[in-house]
Amino acid sequence: MIIQNPDYVDIVSNLILASKYLVIFTGAGISTESGLSDFRGKNGVWTRRDKGLPPARSKHFDEVQPNEGHNFMVQLQEMGLLKFLISQNVDNLHLKSGIQPERIAELHGNYTIMKCVECDTRYSRKEIGWERENHGRGFRMESPQDNQPFCPECHGRIINSVVNFNDPMPSKEMELARDHSMKCDLMIVIGSSLVVTPAANFPKIAKGKGAKLIIINIDSTPLDNLADIKLDVKAGDFLSNVLKRIKNIKEIEPI
Ligand code: APR
């Protein structure tokens, strides 16, 4: 049990309330409390693979629900405190929790979204009539199948929006992430090992532009020394305490 220093709940709550442009950056660690495995945590997919162990039992994306960490961000969005969310996750849990599509950049794609390689139009699998059992996963690096649906807009090839290693990064999401990282005065990283670039560059860009940087991550990250605050705590518990604190402070705020 990680003993939380109650002061940090206060400090982080007040930093959020004082911020003019809060951007949050998430990784797989925000979804472990929903029952999904992360990649480089103690029991992560790559950690176990490197030890020659089989993958840990993890639920499928379709089976899991957002947790209190995801809900924290939705509440901040509703209060007008969260300006933008940059995520490396493909599990769709941020959108499922209620984050507005225009308020998030999913840098590594989203397993529920297909896109056209030519015109970049996005479709749900249902909209485009994509059935995994007939059409396959649709990853960019896999060779196209003749029976796969094509883009109704431009007749281009439809692929899964998930970005695999060696795939190009999505230009629209990268531009959004850069813009908001340059604008923010507070960036909070939640549940990321910050070892995969170019995604992991955005907290550095924010810091370089003068933003305060808070990292909430159980394990260490290469940016810990750059952070103004580094908390090795479980995200869900801590963030729900911060949310309660923010609501208390707002309640007693003079109107
Ligand atoms: N609370 C706080 N931190 C947590 C929690 C939790 N409940 N659960 C896990 N963590 C931390 C782990 O300690 C780990 O350092 O979250 C971090 C997750 O790091 P990774 O597993 O490396 O995930 P991420 O940073 O998102 O990986 C980036 O790598 O494999 C690629 O494309 C994949 O998007 C992914 C990218």
Side-chain angles (χ1 to χ4, degrees), residues 26-29 32-33 38-41 46 88-89 108 163 165 191-196 216-220 233-236:
T26 63
T32 53
E33 293 173 58
D38 63 12
F39 297 95
R40 299 173 186 81
W46 306 146
Q88 301 171 96
N89 300 342
H108 296 159
V163 177
F165 285 113
S192 179
S193 60
L194 293 173
V195 295
V196 172
I216 299 170
N217 200 65
I218 293 178
D219 290 323
S220 62
V233 293
K234 263 186 88 170

Side-chain angles (χ1 to χ4, degrees), residues 21 23 83-86 105 107 171-185 187 202 205-206 209:
Y21 209 96
V23 171
K83 301 299 181 204
F84 201 75
L85 175 57
I86 302 168
L107 300 179
S171 46
K172 192 169 74 176
E173 283 77 4
M174 286 297 286
E175 207 178 307
L176 281 168
R178 172 175 299 283
D179 287 353
H180 292 281
S181 298
M182 306 270 280
K183 268 188 206 159
C184 72
D185 61 349
M187 181 175 279
F202 291 117
I205 289 170
K209 293 296 277 182

Side-chain angles (χ1 to χ4, degrees), residues 223-237:
L223 301 193
D224 287 358
N225 297 333
L226 200 63
D228 296 277
I229 297 175
K230 166 66 191 316
L231 295 167
D232 310 351
V233 293
K234 263 186 88 170
D237 295 347

